[in-house]
């Protein structure tokens, strides 16, 4: 494991190359002490060598972490200002997931990333090529959490998140389901299960089984235990939505 990966605290694979690698290289060179551009370039070359040898692997915890930081910076800047509550939400999430030391390193990266102009489409295309659908859904869930951290999701923030979702090939049903987890509306529970209030009781039960499978934390087991804990929040929202509908309908 190279110096940058050790500093990050987790393996990084596909994010060492492409447009994301360009962003991180810029940040390493401009904003991070203790890791040189030469260190990072060496790891990029090692990654490219593994690619040529056909040893391409799945997204790692480090890949998810870097992708999250970049997309978080896009959403935070969407309304033309950087809100301290949104920054605190990002930091709190990283401390909760990774512990203080790794969170501190992540924030050194973040402080540089947020100063750079980013091509959202190019970044999302790279993520889409290497991350599973379940992992991309987890990214979307976190982005809504950031946007709501200051008490409301502004129109510009939602527009940016919707754009990111489309670039990540997240369909409208999945988008609406995750969005409903952050909005207290009369039909939010139904939207989370991707059905309407007109659905039959059998359709409700079938939808719950489908969504519980889709959002099960085990879907992110390749990212490590810390991300399974984060995924559990979505899973619990689906369970709570189902219990609410059952109570409203008097179902057992």
């Amino acid at each position: 494991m190279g110096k940058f990966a050790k500093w990050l605290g987790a393996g990084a694979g596909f994010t060492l190359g492409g447009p994301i690698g360009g962003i991180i290289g810029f940040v390493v060179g401009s904003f991070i002490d203790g890791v040189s551009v030469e260190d990072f370039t060496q790891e990029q070359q090692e990654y490219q060598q593994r690619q040529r040898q056909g040893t391409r692997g799945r997204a790692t915890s480090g890949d998810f972490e870097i992708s999250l930081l970049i997309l978080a910076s896009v959403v935070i800047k969407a309304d033309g200002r950087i809100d301290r509550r949104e920054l605190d939400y990002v930091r709190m999430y990283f401390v909760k997931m990774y512990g203080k030391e790794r969170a501190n390193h992540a924030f050194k990266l973040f402080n540089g990333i947020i100063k750079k102009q980013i091509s959202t489409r190019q970044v999302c295309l790279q993520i889409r090529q290497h991350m599973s659908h379940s992992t991309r859904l987890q990214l979307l869930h976190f982005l809504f959490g950031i946007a709501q951290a200051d008490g409301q999701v502004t129109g510009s923030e939602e527009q940016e998140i919707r754009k990111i979702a489309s670039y990540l090939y997240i369909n409208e049903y999945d988008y609406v389901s995750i969005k409903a987890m952050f909005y207290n509306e009369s039909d939010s529970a139904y939207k989370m299960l991707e059905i309407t209030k007109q659905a039959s009781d059998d359709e409700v039960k079938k939808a719950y089984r489908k969504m519980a499978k889709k959002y099960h934390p085990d879907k992110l087991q390749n990212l490590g235990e810390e991300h399974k804990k984060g995924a559990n929040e979505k899973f619990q929202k689906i369970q709570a939505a189902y219990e609410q509908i059952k109570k409203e309908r008097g179902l057992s």
Side-chain angles (χ1 to χ4, degrees), residues 153-203:
V153 180
T154 66
S156 56
E157 287 172 332
E158 185 183 348
Q159 184 178 9
E160 200 64 52
I161 295 173
R162 181 178 286 276
K163 185 194 302 180
I164 289 169
S166 69
Y167 289 152
L168 293 177
Y169 277 13
I170 294 173
N171 65 40
E172 184 68 13
Y173 292 107
D174 288 335
Y175 178 83
V176 170
S177 173
I178 291 179
K179 177 184 172 182
M181 297 178 185
F182 296 89
Y183 288 78
N184 186 21
E185 299 174 342
S186 60
D187 60 347
S188 289
Y190 288 91
K191 286 179 177 178
M192 283 185 229
L193 298 185
E194 298 185 358
I195 53 177
T196 67
K197 287 187 174 182
Q198 287 70 48
S200 67
D201 292 346
D202 284 342
E203 287 172 333

Side-chain angles (χ1 to χ4, degrees), residues 6 13 17 36 56 63-64 70 84 90 98 117 126 142-143 148 174 179 246:
K6 288 180 180 178
S36 69
R56 178 176 173 179
D63 292 321
F64 185 91
I70 292 173
R84 171 54 57 182
V90 176
Y98 308 122
Q117 249 347 85
Q126 186 178 354
F142 177 77
L143 296 178
Q148 198 191 50
D174 288 335
K179 177 184 172 182
K246 284 203 302 180

Side-chain angles (χ1 to χ4, degrees), residues 61-249:
S61 179
D63 292 321
F64 185 91
E65 184 174 353
I66 291 170
S67 301
L68 198 54
L69 291 171
I70 292 173
L71 295 181
S73 75
V74 171
V75 172
I76 285 176
K77 293 187 291 186
D79 56 5
R81 60 194 178 90
I82 299 176
D83 192 288
R84 171 54 57 182
R85 288 167 293 184
E86 293 172 337
L87 294 176
D88 288 344
Y89 181 90
V90 176
R91 187 175 186 83
M92 178 187 69
Y93 179 91
F94 274 81
V95 170
K96 180 181 176 182
M97 289 296 102
Y98 308 122
K100 282 190 176 182
E101 182 178 359
R102 185 166 161 188
N104 286 340
H105 286 160
F107 245 70
K108 286 182 181 179
L109 270 179
F110 191 65
N111 287 334
I113 291 169
I114 208 163
K115 294 177 173 67
K116 183 162 175 58
Q117 249 347 85
I118 291 168
S119 170
T120 307
R121 180 177 178 275
Q122 288 186 352
V123 166
C124 288
L125 290 179
Q126 186 178 354
I127 291 170
R128 193 179 78 205
Q129 290 174 348
H130 298 274
M131 282 191 181
S132 68
H133 183 250
S134 297
T135 307
R136 285 177 272 138
L137 291 177
Q138 184 66 12
L139 283 172
L140 188 68
H141 184 267
F142 177 77
L143 296 178
F144 267 113
I146 292 175
Q148 198 191 50
D150 59 359
Q152 63 175 339
V153 180
T154 66
S156 56
E157 287 172 332
E158 185 183 348
Q159 184 178 9
E160 200 64 52
I161 295 173
R162 181 178 286 276
K163 185 194 302 180
I164 289 169
S166 69
Y167 289 152
L168 293 177
Y169 277 13
I170 294 173
N171 65 40
E172 184 68 13
Y173 292 107
D174 288 335
Y175 178 83
V176 170
S177 173
I178 291 179
K179 177 184 172 182
M181 297 178 185
F182 296 89
Y183 288 78
N184 186 21
E185 299 174 342
S186 60
D187 60 347
S188 289
Y190 288 91
K191 286 179 177 178
M192 283 185 229
L193 298 185
E194 298 185 358
I195 53 177
T196 67
K197 287 187 174 182
Q198 287 70 48
S200 67
D201 292 346
D202 284 342
E203 287 172 333
V204 169
K205 293 176 182 178
K206 183 178 179 180
Y208 167 69
R209 289 193 294 269
K210 173 187 172 184
M211 299 305 293
K213 183 178 180 180
K214 179 187 291 187
Y215 289 136
H216 198 282
D218 283 348
K219 293 277 188 178
L220 299 181
Q221 61 184 352
N222 63 297
L223 295 181
E225 287 299 316
E226 63 267 27
H227 290 289
K228 286 178 66 175
K229 292 176 184 176
N232 195 52
E233 184 178 337
K234 294 200 310 298
F235 187 68
Q236 290 174 338
K237 287 277 189 179
I238 293 298
Q239 290 179 311
Y242 181 52
E243 292 301 323
Q244 178 183 326
I245 294 172
K246 284 203 302 180
K247 185 176 180 180
E248 291 173 358
R249 295 186 174 210

